Amino acid sequence: MLRSIQHVEALSSRQISTTSMLLKNRAGKTKSTSNRTQLLTYEMAQKPHHIGVRKSWLTWHSQNLEEFRQSQPLVVAQDEVVRRFIRGFFPQNLVVSGNEIVIKRRGNVLIVAGFLQYSRRLDIRRIYWMFGFAEEFLSILLKQPVKLEMAFVESEEDVAYNYI
Amino acid sequence: MIGRMGLGRVITRSLSSVEPALSQKLTIQPAIERSPTDLLNALSETVGPDTTAPHFAYIDDPITIPSTQSTKKTYFMAKEFGKRAARELATEWPTLFAFDRDQPQLPVFRPRHLADPLQVEPTENNLLKMISSREVKDSCILYERMRSENVDVSEKVQLELFRLVTYYNSSNVPFAEWEEFVGMRNFGEDSTSSWKSGAVADLLFETLPKTDETVSIMIAGLCKFSDHSSLERARELYKEHRAAKGKVYREAFNGLIGASSYSVGKKLVAEMISLRMTPDIFTFNALLSSAAKAGKFEDRVKAFTEIIGEMKEIGVEPALSSFHLIIKNIIDFKLLDNEKRESDEQKKTYNHQLTVAISWLNEIQNSLTGKTLKPITSTCNLFFVEAMGIHYRAANENLAENLVSIYESKANEVKMPAFTIESMFYNRQLQLAVEQSASLNRIYDLYTTMVPRLVGVNNYLSSLVFRKLAASSDRHWPLLRRVIIDGIAAGQMNGVIGEEMRKQLCNVQLHTLGTSEREQFTSLVQKLVAVWVEFSQFTEERMRRLQRKLSPSQISECALLLTRIGEQQKAYELLDLLLDETASSGDEATVYPRGHARPWAMAELFEDALRKRDTYAAATCLQIMSLTANRAKLEPLANRIFEKCNVNQEQVRIIQGFIRLRPQ
């Protein structure tokens, strides 16, 4: 009983918190390096308030418009499924960890666009097989035609816009 | 107030400036009447096929665009097999794909396993389902199972099954009729089979009553998969049925006509007419194929003329497949092979037959121009490729161009399958155009629009273009560059075409090229030499099958090209390989031990070294030349080194000693 008196004293003494506030806006801010090695793609280099001005959206559909919101949550969930599938299926070919895959919906078709890089063992037949598999798999999963429109770059440096 | 004054001033000024124009009367033109689709038509006229893009089936990226016929097939099939794997997965685990929000539900996104004939309930309904989905073998198994389990099958269902199994000869649907997977349809090959006797079709024929329909189906099936015995049987069946005053259907007649000789075929047609059956296009096609069996050229032409005349008489429009049968069979088969035409007599006969074929084709093409062409039979598309073959043989470019314009016109709905037959068609056209044309610009335009989109890069075409380039007095760097780049993509760098590439590049006169062209030349040479050197360095055990050693002639040409683009150091590193014995012997060898450096290339390299007063380079060249030349030839060369280069007494002594030791 007496032993706990010490703690009561400690609690009663008031202190000033020196921790920085966590209410700041962190989106679109990339930490720079001293030797400018941090790669920024065009998409990363533009700030969030530039969306629709200097850069575009990573998903294109009509469910954000007024009176078109019948299945907005569905679209968000589908996007996540598609992105995760592409990241998991092409792990050797991703650039910037597959964060910049663009998903476009046109009519009933879902188009997945973006950049991939050559893997260490470049086998074009394998790429074709994987494209065929991914298109058919996602089509059956989402019950709508899915097309891949991915372009290839030699390495991640090819998509660099700036180094900070 | 100021505003009003200002406005007044503006008005007076504008009035004064337009005063002379006021005398002319301004009339507003009435609006031009336009139909609702005029705008769309105008838009569609501004866009055409992108002749530089690959076929839409491929990934539009430089590295993934196939350039040869075989890579086109491989990539297409790879994509299709990927799709099939995904479908198989979804069929096996349908619950993992159970996201069912689509309305209406689309069966194409819900692949299902086919019913197993050994597991399903042996009912008529299940059998009918299998028959309607054309699962021939499965329905045969289920039918036999039903018979062994004493389940009654009604006559109607048996007839349905009989139709199916006879049409497909008790085996599964051929690849050519696959609907889902295009690759298998176009690239898969089916062997033509002969009639399976004792199979379900025969069993059903014995079980079912001998009506007009069953006998006709059987005859048609026996003729479709004909061999000697099945034909005999079909004829017997026909005779028996006719003797019993039965009527045979048109399909059976067509089958019998197609499998008989022309004289028998004519008799059968007469019998058809006596039974009040008018012959249709399939009957005439069958008659044409029976006429094609005639051994003599004159007999064939006479028969073809009779048949076409008869078709006109009764108002049956010949289909493209009819023309295909004529064109394919008009020339004697044994004369088609160039090597088999040995005697002058044979050559003369061949030329005569080719002339007749061309005049037939001319007539046919004239009759087709401007007409709407629709596919009637599955072989209609083959007419175009066969006709192009004849034009190629006769080197008739005008008719070939006319044929292409008929094929590409909007009125034509008969299309050849891409990558296989269409590619052959355009390949022949391009080869003919390249052979006939003297203008390199025209060849360049044709080549760039057709290769590799329509025509795969092939050795014959590349060497043809190289021959044209060599024969022409003009130079055409863009064409040469394009053919070489296509050759690199198509894996032609090793072998004869690679040699031709070096020869052509050595013939390029650099001073005739512009600045950017010279840069292109430099990068192309660097790329080619780097690839050849890399190929020669695959000396490790697991990579050795890829290795292509450098030959001495290749080294000398590469060194020459490198010096021309100013890379002396690399050039002499390569030339050193010729003098290094370890480079051509042992497991690590990168150079062929046989062969010699090209004398003309070495002479130019030597002159270049003298011009630069480079003693080391000149001495290297001299040493390489000494491998093939004797002392008399080497002495003047050595003297020139002493004249041009700064050599000291010691060096002179060494060179003279070296020459003295060469054989006389």
Side-chain angles (χ1 to χ4, degrees), chain A residues 122 124-125 128 136 143 152, chain B residues 59 61 64 74 87 97:
Chain A
L122 181 64
I124 299 162
R125 266 181 310 178
Y128 270 99
E136 193 70 14
K143 308 285 186 284
F152 282 86
Chain B
I59 305 169
D61 194 276
T64 48
T74 317
R87 281 196 94 75
F97 295 83

Side-chain angles (χ1 to χ4, degrees), chain B residues 97-157:
Chain B
F97 295 83
F99 172 74
D100 288 330
R101 295 262 313 199
D102 51 336
Q103 282 299 334
Q105 291 215 335
L106 300 169
V108 70
F109 296 124
R110 291 173 178 76
R112 279 188 192 153
H113 270 311
L114 293 167
D116 184 351
L118 296 172
Q119 301 291 327
V120 291
E121 199 73 21
T123 59
E124 270 192 6
N125 225 358
N126 282 334
L127 185 59
L128 272 176
K129 264 188 209 163
M130 279 185 187
I131 292 169
S132 63
S133 62
R134 297 194 300 166
E135 295 301 323
V136 188
K137 276 191 175 170
D138 284 0
S139 37
C140 288
I141 294 170
L142 185 59
Y143 175 69
E144 281 178 347
R145 200 178 133 215
M146 285 165 84
R147 274 171 60 94
S148 65
E149 289 179 19
N150 292 327
V151 181
D152 280 338
V153 184
S154 71
E155 206 166 277
K156 200 179 147 212
V157 178

Side-chain angles (χ1 to χ4, degrees), chain B residues 323-429:
Chain B
F323 295 138
H324 167 241
L325 280 167
I326 294 172
I327 295 304
K328 191 183 168 196
N329 297 303
I330 202 160
I331 299 176
D332 277 348
F333 185 68
K334 59 178 186 293
L335 290 177
L336 288 176
D337 199 344
N338 203 7
E339 287 167 8
K340 285 183 186 164
R341 293 195 296 269
E342 286 162 352
S343 66
D344 285 348
E345 187 62 32
Q346 278 177 325
K347 280 176 192 161
K348 212 173 142 191
T349 322
Y350 169 73
N351 284 339
H352 169 63
Q353 295 188 2
L354 193 60
T355 318
V356 175
I358 280 288
S359 54
W360 271 77
L361 259 179
N362 189 20
E363 290 294 317
I364 292 170
Q365 283 179 215
N366 282 343
S367 72
L368 292 179
T369 313
K371 235 188 228 175
T372 308
L373 304 175
K374 286 186 189 296
I376 313 267
T377 70
S378 62
T379 53
C380 275
N381 63 75
L382 298 177
F383 163 73
F384 292 102
V385 71
E386 204 65 52
M388 188 55 87
I390 298 281
H391 294 325
Y392 179 68
R393 282 175 180 280
N396 195 328
E397 209 186 343
N398 291 340
L399 275 180
E401 273 176 19
N402 176 256
L403 185 70
V404 173
S405 68
I406 292 173
Y407 179 67
E408 286 175 352
S409 78
K410 280 183 183 166
N412 174 32
E413 289 170 22
V414 182
K415 296 288 168 195
M416 294 175 266
F419 316 133
T420 52
I421 296 166
E422 198 181 55
S423 156
M424 266 161 70
F425 173 78
Y426 281 113
N427 189 23
R428 280 176 183 165
Q429 192 224 340

Side-chain angles (χ1 to χ4, degrees), chain B residues 243-266:
Chain B
K245 304 277 179 207
K247 197 183 165 191
V248 176
Y249 287 10
R250 179 181 284 131
E251 287 74 18
F253 268 117
N254 292 350
L256 282 170
I257 294 167
S260 315
S261 65
Y262 182 54
S263 53
V264 179
K266 275 204 290 192

